[in-house]
Each structure stands twice: as C-alpha cells, then as structure tokens.
Amino acid sequence: MKSLPKQAQVVIIGGGVIGCSLAYHLIKLGWKDVVLLERKELTCGTTWHAAGLVGQLRATKNMTKLAQYTSELYATLEDETGQATGFKQNGSISVAPDEERFEELKRGASMAKCFGLEVDVISPREARELYPLLNIEDLVGAVFLPKDGQTNPIDVTQAMAKGAKMRGAKIFENVKVTGIKTTKAGTSGAKKVSGVSLEMENGETGEISAEIVVNCAGLWGHQVGKMAGVNVPLHAAEHFYIVTEDIGLPSNLPVLRDPSSWIYAKEDAGKMLVGCFEPKSKPRPLDTIQDDFSFGQFAEDWEHFEPAMLNAMHRIPKLEDAGIHTFFNGPESFTPDDRYILGEAPELKNFYVAAGFNSIGIQSGGGAGKVLSEWIVNGHPPLDLWDVDIRRFHSFQGNSKYLKERTEETLGLLYAMHWPFRQPETSRGVRKSVLHDRLEKAGACFGEMCGWERANWFAPEGKATRYEYSYARQNWFEASAAEHKAAREKVALFDMSSFAKFLVQGRDAEKVLNRICANDISVPSGKAVYTAWLNECGCFESDLTVTRLREDVFLVITAGASQTRDLAWLHKNIPDDVHVTVTDVTSGYAVLSVMGPESRNLLAKLTPADLSNEAFPFGSAQEIEIGYGTALALRMTYVGELGWEIYVPTEFAQDIYDKILATGSDYGLQLAGMHALNSLRLEKAFRHWGHDIADEDTPLEAGLGFALKFDKPGGFIGRDALMRQKDELFKTKSGILKKRLVQFALENPEPLLYHNEPIWCDDNIVGDLTSGMYGHTIGSCLGMGYVMHEDGVTKELLEKSNFEIEVAGDRYKARPSLRAFYDPKSERVRM
C-alpha cells in the first residue's frame, strides 16, 4: 500500500458510489489534495449489490435536475476513463392499475416537462408494445421515459474512482476511520473538524489532519456522525430481489416499475432482476451487522418476499416458469423522510455529510457528488437543496427507536401513493403542544412536522378524525373551508406553538442582527420587523420576524421546520469578538394565534390592555395581562386579517386557551388548522420559505424588496449581490427582472394545485408552481410560481398573454397577478 499522507485538504470517508463521485467532482473543480478512505474495498457496503437503475424523474424540480445530470455523466464516463460502466438507456415504463395511480404518474409527467425531460403518457397497449412480457389486462395507463437507463454499480463507481485518481486524488482501501478530530473554531466555543484517526488492516493506527472531512460512509454514516458529535438520522433495512435463470430477455428491454405491486424489474444479461419496496419493511439495527461486513448479505426470507413475487408474476407472467438463480437480501440505509442527507453539519464546521440514499444512490450519485463538491468549494450550495439538506433534521430524529419504527414505513413509501398531505403513520407523538389533549378532544386531525403533532383540520362532530386521501378534494375540504371562512369573517384560533423561537441578547445584539438581517432592526423596543436572512449571493436563507423586546434583547420567530437550519445560520454569522448570546426558547412558549375581524373584540374581554389601532398598531409587540397570566402579544399575521400572536409561557397556556375559547363563543370563534392557514396565506400571496422562496431566489425576484434596507449603516449579508442584480435591470429591455414570483388563480374551480405544475404562457412553459391550495374566499385554486421571460416579467406581459397551468396533462386557464388576489393593499391587517 502506498503510504498514507499526514495531511489533506479533504478527507472523504467511504468508497461507495457517493464517496467516489465526490472525489471525482472535487478533482474536476481543481482541488488536488483529496484523500478517500475505504474501510474494506470500494463498493463493498451497499453499492455493489444495487439494482443499478438510473431513473431521472424525482419528486421535485431540483432532485430531477440532479438525476438528469447523473444520467448524462454515466453516459460519458467510459469514454473519459476507459473503464466500462455497463450504462445503457433503454428507457423505463411505470404502469398504473387504477385511475389514482395514473393521475400520480401523469402529474409527474407534467412536472417533467418543466425541465426538458422527455416523457410520454401512453396507453396499456402502447406499454405492451414497448414491453412485450407485460400483462395489461388490469392497467389503465402508463408513463414512458425514453432516456432512463441502467448501469453496473461496481463498474460506474470504479470509473469515477479512476477518473479521480487520473487527476491526482489518493484512494486508500482497508483503512478504517476510528475517530473524528476537532478543534475550536474561535472564541465562541464552536468547533470545526481538524482531521481523522485511522486504523490500517495490519492493526497500525495513525492520523490525517484535514481542513474538511466528508461522511460518505453509507450504512455506517450514523455511526461516523456520532464520532463527530453530528446527528445523521439513518437506519438500515433489508432489501430483497431475485435474479432469474437466463430466460432469453432482449438486451434493449426497458426497466419496468409497477409501484402499486411494490415491484421493479430489469434485464440483466438475459436474466431478469425483480426487486421490491414492500409496505412494511424489515429494519436492520447496525449492531446486528458484523463490523467487518463486506460484499455480504443476510439470510433469505422467502415468506417476506413472496407477496411481492406473486405480484411480479401477475404483471410479468413469464416469471411463473422462470428458475431463480439468486435470491438476494442485503442492507440499504433509509432516512425518516425518504430523502437523502447532504451538506455541512450544523454541529461541526467543515464536516460534511452525503449519506442515507434510500436505495437511489446509483441514480443520485453523479448529481449528489457534483453539487456537494460545489458546496464545499464555494461555501454554499449551487441550487436549492433544502429537500436533502442535513439541517432539516432535529436532534430527536437520531433516536434509535424512532428510526427503527419509521424505517418500517419509509422503505415502502418509495412506491406507495404519494398523496397530497399524506402523513406518516409510524414514530408519531414525539413532540406535542401543551394544548394537544384539548385540541384532540375538539376533533383535531393531526399532521406531523419535524416531530410536532399539529392540528391540520378539525372534524365536525360525529365525523372521524382521519384522512381519506385523494388527488381531488379530500374528506377534510369542507371542514377546512369553514375554518378559513371563520378567519375571514369572524375569528379563528390557531395553535402555532411549533414556531421556532430564539432569544438573542447582549450589548452587541443589535449590531450583529442588523448585519444578518436584510431589513433594519434598529427599531424602538416593542417593534416587530419582518426580514430576510440572505447569503452572499443575495438569496434567501430564511424569512422571519425579529421583535425588539428591550435595548439588548431580541426575539427571533421562524418556522418550526427550519429551526435547526436557522439556529445554525445565526450562530455561523455571529463574530467571535462580540458580546451576544443565543438561547433556543422554542419549548418554553406556546403560541395562540387569534386571527380575524372579531379578534380585537374577543381579546378585549380578556385583557385590560388597549388593543386599539392607535395604542397597538400593526407590527408592534406588548406584554399584556391576559386571563390570570401575562403574555407577549405580537400584532402580526400569516392569514391576512386583524389578529395577534400570543406568546404564553407553557405553564400558563392551558388556562389562557380555555378562557379564549369560552369567551370566543360570543364572537363566532372557531378552531382552525394548518390547511386553513395555508389556504389563507395563499390568498394573501404570503411566501413560504422552502417552497416560494429558497436559497436560489432573491427578495427582488420574490417581490419582497420592501423587506430590504439598502442604506442602513454597515449593510447586510447579500447586499452587494442584490445591488448588482438591481444594476443589471438597467441593461434589460424593460428594466424589469427576467424572473419574478407571480400568483395565479384558475378560472375553472375544480382542478387542485399542489406544486411543480407547469406554467404555460402562449404555448411555452415559462416556469412551474412553487405552491398551491384552494382559496375559499376567491372560489378557486390558487398557486404561486416563478415566471421566466427574457424581456422581463412585466405587467403588460401578464395582461396580454394567455396563461395556463397544466395539471396531469390537461391545461387550465389561469389569471396571473403580481399582487395578492385578496386584500392587495393589506388594509384588513391594519384595521
């Protein structure tokens, strides 16, 4: 073995497809000092036994882009490196035995058009012409993707490893990482990675110091994360497939997916490989996998696999007479939400993770390696990767019992129906508001968000509190409409306790926050400011409110889903030499959001505070007496009506809730859930971070320029990039941005919008929706999405062009607007 270096710029842990892809892409970007360490041999963990499917259509736009790139890369690797990959593009067919599955496939096909992915919606007969072995007697339709492919997982990984070594990367096998070394990142107490401890095959130990360490350890990613004090929520599960004897399959046969039957099938040198993603999987705790596991597999379990095999024989009758050459059972790693893990760990600077690929490591490998390499080199992701960002996870999600139970479900969810608003069924009840039991008795149907049990809607008396899923109007539609109407016409109460809440204190708090915030938070005490947090590219890292409580005390309120991300961003941007402390007080406060035109009258019965517009204007905060306690009342709204968010210390919340509910009966108070909140905010065109605004969108493009203060002393992060964007406007024909967020209302009230539906303008696709929901006040479905137009997205363009939204292959006329359809001047929130 060539000698190990004492130091490296980057150390990559793990020699599967992901680790080798990252090494390949870092070298392509010009980084020469790259070291990859593999505990045994390249591909020996899970890569070697992957099915090798290279599909391109994923659940979201950017995940599809990464899969597309992977396919393009694999098509060129053999020419570049001389290493055969076995890559071929025979296409893939996904079949639907019922209308609901067909709608799901058609919606995916519509989304694919937004980024030039070739896709055809076909009949059962056309599917059989492409796949002669197919039983079509119970099919209603199918989708064909001609450029989908398959590859040999070992060969394609070796090709990327060879490409990396050709340009100077150093790859070492039989070197086990036994520890992660860290050092202080500054005077704040934060840490950064400084290297790894090693053990060689012969028992010798050593160390490599490094500027950056990347965890690409696959099955062992959770364990390696623990070495670094980093939460990497993934869990192994057994994954099954069979390979038949040679049955003379043609080499150009497409890949077949029948998700309703849980199966996939591909040609393999005249044989057929059939695998499954069964509804209830077999989690495999890491401590039951031997430490020296390499090119290994588990015991057969025919009883577990048999139902899927019977489904496969129904769909492909030729399998009934085929002999089985191989029955395979091996490990794959799964995350709590079926999306892989990418990015810099919030707990440790310069420690990155790429793991938990949920059986799609081969088709994700090229794209994941490319974007992570760019993230490492440039210090920020090249596009919106929130879907897979490690910062989406919370600490409890590393709990072994939580992961094991959730993994029983998540493997099967890969092929389950991807219903709108579908809620997980396992590992529930983790985080509950102090009001949970009261809401449950009131008929709440709960959804889960980052472990929080949140009331999504309230069932009328006598109705079951459970979802009946559909792509059409679901069973909660009318109940949520009533909640929506109450907020618009009377008053509604939302439990928003899942808000993330950070207390920022110290003599330098204003200076530090004003640098991080794009808006000006140098305001008097008792003033709340809506602001953006931006990166150096001028794009969103978050949008939130900052309330000045006292001279040196600020309360930051942000979304519960981005709690980990936003706290990490805040800490990352606090200089070492300042006097500032940050405390996460999320669990200390319940939040009662009282919204609607009767909210002032209701609350006036419960507090001696003056709630008049003059004494308590919009955007202000006061500590008030309410019930028998005191609370921080913040006059803000995410529904577009007069209202207050009441921040109550947890132990007082139940009493105050009871009093609001008792008094509210005189004012038409109705409990309301997250679905109503979503429909209300869309009518007001309020943006939602992670959907309508993300780290590839600027406030100017999103129509949120009012939340920027360009001339404040000291500027803000991202200011220079936004100034350059403003300067570019003068070079365009219209002086208007080429990309702008536009709201749409369908003229036909029946179709429902969710997200990623194509936006058509005069027979050209000009964007796709970032979010959608039925607007009960408007009387039709609403959506928001970015429109792209080279000459600028002008008011004239919107007025004179014919806009349509495509839903499952059908196009519907839509009315565009740069302003909210409901109360565009925001007069109601200032009543």
Side-chain angles (χ1 to χ4, degrees):
M1 181 200 295
K2 54 184 180 290
S3 60
L4 286 164
K6 295 295 184 183
Q7 61 183 35
Q9 189 173 16
V10 183
V11 169
I12 299 169
I13 305 169
V17 66
I18 306 302
C20 291
S21 175
L22 178 60
Y24 170 86
H25 285 94
L26 282 171
I27 290 289
K28 294 269 279 190
L29 289 175
W31 282 28
K32 301 300 184 185
D33 192 10
V34 176
V35 171
L36 184 148
L37 305 175
E38 165 53 47
R39 54 187 285 279
K40 291 294 183 181
E41 298 176 42
L42 296 186
T43 78
C44 73
T46 59
T47 294
W48 73 276
H49 65 70
L53 308 185
V54 188
Q56 298 181 70
L57 183 59
R58 305 303 304 153
T60 62
K61 176 171 64 177
N62 283 349
M63 293 300 100
T64 300
K65 285 182 180 179
L66 299 193
Q68 282 180 283
Y69 170 79
T70 297
S71 184
E72 294 163 4
L73 173 67
Y74 292 174
T76 63
L77 275 176
E78 184 170 349
D79 289 341
E80 179 186 346
T81 66
Q83 166 71 50
T85 63
F87 180 70
K88 57 183 180 180
Q89 289 178 295
N90 293 345
S92 75
I93 300 171
S94 295
V95 299
D98 54 60
E99 291 296 342
E100 291 174 321
R101 178 68 75 174
F102 195 30
E103 171 146 3
E104 178 183 78
L105 295 180
K106 288 189 291 182
R107 282 178 175 265
S110 288
M111 180 184 72
K113 298 176 185 177
C114 298
F115 14 94
L117 187 59
E118 191 175 342
V119 58
D120 299 311
V121 177
I122 59 176
S123 68
R125 186 176 298 275
E126 290 171 315
R128 189 166 59 186
E129 289 172 2
L130 292 165
Y131 202 96
L133 305 176
L134 194 63
N135 171 17
I136 64 170
E137 64 182 16
D138 58 345
L139 296 182
V140 299
V143 164
F144 177 54
L145 290 107
K147 296 297 176 67
D148 274 5
Q150 61 189 72
T151 194
N152 183 307
I154 293 178
D155 288 346
V156 80
T157 303
Q158 292 286 1
M160 288 189 287
K162 184 176 181 180
K165 288 189 287 188
M166 286 166 56
R167 293 178 173 83
K170 300 178 180 67
I171 296 179
F172 299 90
E173 296 178 301
N174 297 302
V175 178
K176 182 179 180 180
V177 172
T178 57
I180 307 296
K181 299 175 67 62
T182 64
T183 188
K184 284 187 177 181
T187 59
S188 64
K191 290 186 176 182
K192 65 179 179 181
V193 77
S194 61
V196 296
S197 301
L198 319 166
E199 182 181 343
M200 274 67 81
E201 191 176 26
N202 62 8
E204 291 183 14
T205 60
E207 295 180 351
I208 300 177
S209 62
E211 298 173 25
I212 291 166
V213 174
V214 190
N215 177 1
C216 300
L219 283 179
W220 296 271
H222 182 74
Q223 186 180 51
V224 170
K226 280 189 171 182
M227 294 179 190
V230 169
N231 183 32
V232 183
L234 59 83
H235 196 285
E238 299 181 20
H239 181 52
F240 301 84
Y241 61 73
I242 60 101
V243 181
T244 69
E245 301 285 357
D246 191 330
I247 54 176
L249 293 181
S251 63
N252 63 349
L253 197 67
V255 170
L256 176 69
R257 294 183 179 87
D258 182 356
S260 296
S261 296
W262 326 331
I263 63 159
Y264 61 87
K266 74 159 190 173
E267 182 274 336
D268 186 5
K271 310 176 186 69
M272 180 174 287
L273 183 153
V274 179
C276 72
F277 292 104
E278 66 277 19
K280 186 173 181 179
S281 77
K282 293 183 66 178
R284 186 80 179 214
L286 193 62
D287 61 11
T288 68
I289 302 174
Q290 63 266 36
D291 191 53
D292 61 350
F293 185 90
S294 175
F295 297 109
Q297 53 185 297
F298 304 140
E300 295 180 4
D301 187 345
W302 181 255
E303 184 179 353
H304 186 83
F305 183 72
E306 184 179 23
M309 192 61 195
L310 292 173
N311 290 341
M313 288 189 291
H314 168 75
R315 187 59 60 216
I316 310 169
K318 189 176 180 67
L319 289 171
E320 293 180 16
D321 302 320
I324 295 179
H325 177 274
T326 302
F327 186 113
F328 182 83
N329 175 15
E332 296 280 0
S333 58
F334 292 83
T335 63
D337 57 7
D338 265 343
R339 291 176 277 145
Y340 53 87
I341 305 171
L342 214 62
E344 186 179 16
E347 302 96 332
L348 184 61
K349 187 176 182 182
N350 291 346
F351 184 84
Y352 289 80
V353 179
F357 277 79
N358 304 281
S359 284
I360 59 165
I362 300 300
Q363 72 178 38
S364 304
K370 179 179 187 295
V371 294
L372 186 57
S373 67
E374 293 170 0
W375 194 337
I376 291 169
V377 170
N378 300 320
H380 57 80
L383 69 167
D384 174 24
L385 295 173
W386 178 236
D387 279 343
V388 294
D389 194 318
I390 188 172
R391 294 171 295 176
R392 74 188 186 274
F393 288 120
H394 295 239
S395 60
F396 78 89
Q397 290 174 293
N399 177 283
S400 58
K401 182 175 175 61
Y402 169 91
L403 286 170
K404 181 179 183 296
E405 291 183 6
R406 179 59 63 88
T407 300
E408 290 182 1
E409 179 182 18
T410 52
L411 181 146
L413 292 182
L414 291 172
Y415 274 13
M417 284 292 296
H418 297 90
W419 296 115
F421 310 107
R422 189 196 183 283
Q423 302 300 321
E425 297 175 1
T426 54
S427 300
R428 292 294 297 268
V430 180
R431 305 169 81 183
K432 294 180 180 179
S433 158
V434 70
L435 304 172
H436 180 90
D437 291 351
R438 282 165 164 76
L439 299 177
E440 188 173 38
K441 288 178 182 177
C445 184
F446 293 98
E448 187 252 16
M449 185 280 300
C450 297
W452 281 103
E453 294 293 328
R454 303 193 304 179
N456 278 351
W457 54 283
F458 288 83
E461 191 172 349
K463 298 290 185 181
T465 56
R466 65 173 181 269
Y467 279 90
E468 295 174 11
Y469 295 118
S470 166
Y471 275 100
R473 298 181 180 188
Q474 296 184 9
N475 63 313
W476 49 265
F477 185 87
E478 293 301 333
S480 187
E483 297 164 22
H484 180 114
K485 184 178 180 181
R488 287 280 180 255
E489 298 178 2
K490 294 180 180 178
V491 60
L493 175 62
F494 302 83
D495 178 13
M496 301 302 297
S497 300
S498 60
F499 276 159
K501 316 162 192 82
F502 312 137
L503 210 56
V504 183
Q505 304 175 83
R507 63 173 177 262
D508 296 319
E510 178 188 301
K511 180 177 70 174
V512 169
L513 280 174
N514 230 11
R515 174 67 182 163
I516 298 172
C517 297
N519 211 340
D520 190 358
I521 58 94
S522 298
V523 294
S525 297
K527 178 69 176 174
V529 178
Y530 171 74
T531 186
W533 285 358
L534 309 176
N535 54 39
E536 292 291 354
C537 300
C539 296
F540 285 95
E541 288 293 330
S542 185
D543 77 318
L544 41 77
T545 60
V546 177
T547 302
R548 188 170 210 154
L549 302 180
R550 296 193 298 277
E551 182 68 22
D552 59 351
V553 181
F554 295 82
L555 182 64
V556 175
I557 306 296
T558 187
S562 54
Q563 180 178 355
T564 302
R565 176 194 178 100
D566 290 349
L567 189 58
W569 184 257
L570 183 56
H571 281 300
K572 180 178 181 178
N573 288 287
I574 296 176
D576 289 330
D577 58 348
V578 299
H579 187 274
V580 171
T581 62
V582 178
T583 309
D584 186 341
V585 296
T586 299
S587 299
Y589 292 89
V591 183
L592 300 170
S593 184
V594 184
M595 296 288 152
E598 290 290 343
S599 58
R600 178 181 284 122
N601 294 332
L602 189 163
L603 290 173
K605 294 289 187 180
L606 299 172
T607 178
D610 186 350
L611 302 180
S612 68
N613 212 33
E614 295 74 24
F616 208 140
F618 179 75
S620 61
Q622 296 179 28
E623 189 170 90
I624 65 171
E625 291 183 11
I626 182 168
Y628 293 136
T630 59
L632 178 69
L634 180 58
R635 191 170 164 199
M636 296 292 286
T637 179
Y638 196 49
V639 306
E641 299 291 343
L642 172 70
W644 281 262
E645 293 171 357
I646 312 296
Y647 291 79
V648 186
T650 304
E651 66 269 30
F652 294 98
Q654 293 180 349
D655 177 65
I656 292 174
Y657 167 90
D658 291 343
K659 288 181 167 58
I660 291 174
L661 216 61
T663 305
S665 61
D666 295 334
Y667 298 93
L669 175 70
Q670 187 156 339
L671 294 172
M674 296 300 109
H675 293 335
L677 187 77
N678 196 31
S679 60
L680 290 158
R681 71 97 184 169
L682 264 165
E683 288 188 336
K684 274 292 294 169
F686 286 153
R687 282 61 167 157
H688 184 270
W689 195 90
H691 287 90
D692 311 307
I693 50 178
D695 52 6
E696 61 185 25
D697 310 311
T698 73
L700 301 179
E701 295 162 345
L704 296 176
F706 68 87
L708 306 174
K709 190 69 172 177
F710 283 100
D711 58 352
K712 66 177 178 177
F716 55 87
I717 299 170
R719 179 186 181 277
D720 292 346
L722 290 179
M723 291 300 294
R724 289 192 295 272
Q725 187 176 45
K726 289 182 74 174
D727 291 342
E728 286 296 313
L729 298 182
F730 296 106
K731 301 176 184 178
T732 64
K733 184 176 179 180
S734 65
I736 299 295
L737 286 165
K738 299 177 183 180
K739 170 188 171 185
R740 296 179 79 182
L741 191 62
V742 178
Q743 189 175 30
F744 296 91
L746 294 184
E747 292 187 6
N748 185 331
E750 290 306 311
L752 296 182
L753 306 174
Y754 300 108
H755 57 78
N756 289 135
E757 292 88 352
I759 302 168
W760 289 82
C761 175
D762 296 335
D763 291 326
N764 294 304
I765 293 177
V766 293
D768 61 298
L769 295 186
T770 52
S771 59
M773 194 75 170
Y774 194 89
H776 299 284
T777 313
I778 305 302
S780 188
C781 219
L782 307 176
M784 283 195 287
Y786 288 94
V787 171
M788 306 286 291
H789 192 266
E790 276 301 309
D791 293 330
V793 182
T794 63
K795 184 179 178 183
E796 181 182 25
L797 171 76
L798 300 183
E799 289 176 347
K800 293 187 175 181
S801 303
N802 177 42
F803 280 90
E804 296 172 303
I805 307 297
E806 181 175 333
V807 180
D810 296 322
R811 286 155 61 174
Y812 298 91
K813 281 188 170 294
R815 181 162 50 103
S817 176
L818 292 170
R819 306 175 72 193
F821 286 112
Y822 180 79
D823 188 25
K825 295 182 179 179
S826 291
E827 294 170 335
R828 294 181 65 83
V829 304
R830 294 178 168 83
M831 293 194 308

